[in-house]
């Protein structure tokens, strides 16, 4: 089943994001290579593709997991979580309709 993982950043998260990003991206590449990643990206803090020092306010990932517990376990092991990037993270089942 697909799951939406939505993380909301703590204030001033940019340095933490930058430090943990390579390991975070590697895990996303693993999901992609397994055919389990629908999309992933960050929410810029300002209306710009590259927000620069304004940073980001959170992230969105849509990926397949066998169940919610497996999705939560993936989140719990994420480098952004370990680095304290997120204030909170939600995991919700998702039923893709389009396209």
């Amino acid at each position: 089943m697909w799951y939406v993982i939505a993380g909301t950043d703590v204030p001033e998260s940019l340095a933490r994001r930058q430090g943990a990003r390579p390991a975070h991206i590697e895990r996303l590449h693993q999901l992609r290579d397994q055919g389990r990643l629908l999309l992933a990206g960050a929410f810029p803090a300002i209306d710009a593709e590259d927000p620069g020092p304004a940073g980001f306010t959170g992230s969105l990932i849509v990926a397949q997991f066998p169940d919610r517990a497996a999705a939560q376990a993936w989140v719990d092991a994420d480098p952004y979580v370990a680095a304290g990037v997120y204030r909170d993270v939600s995991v919700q089942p998702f039923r893709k309709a389009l396209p």
Side-chain angles (χ1 to χ4, degrees):
M1 176 164 209
W2 292 106
Y3 289 87
V4 170
I5 299 166
T8 303
D9 284 24
V10 298
E12 307 296 323
S13 64
L14 187 57
R16 292 177 189 192
R17 271 183 171 271
Q18 290 169 331
R21 189 172 192 276
H24 174 75
I25 294 297
E26 175 56 34
R27 294 181 83 233
L28 291 171
H29 285 172
Q30 291 171 7
L31 287 175
R32 179 201 61 201
D33 294 348
Q34 295 166 0
R36 297 172 43 209
L37 182 65
L38 183 62
L39 66 88
F43 301 118
I46 60 173
D47 192 8
E49 183 75 22
D50 179 358
F56 300 89
T57 61
S59 303
L60 178 72
I61 299 165
V62 181
Q64 281 183 326
F65 295 93
D67 54 38
R68 191 178 201 148
Q72 186 64 56
W74 189 91
V75 168
D76 293 344
D78 190 76
Y80 277 5
V81 170
V85 170
Y86 297 135
R87 179 186 73 214
D88 57 67
V89 182
S90 68
V91 176
Q92 298 291 323
F94 178 73
R95 191 179 79 182
K96 183 178 181 260
L98 295 169

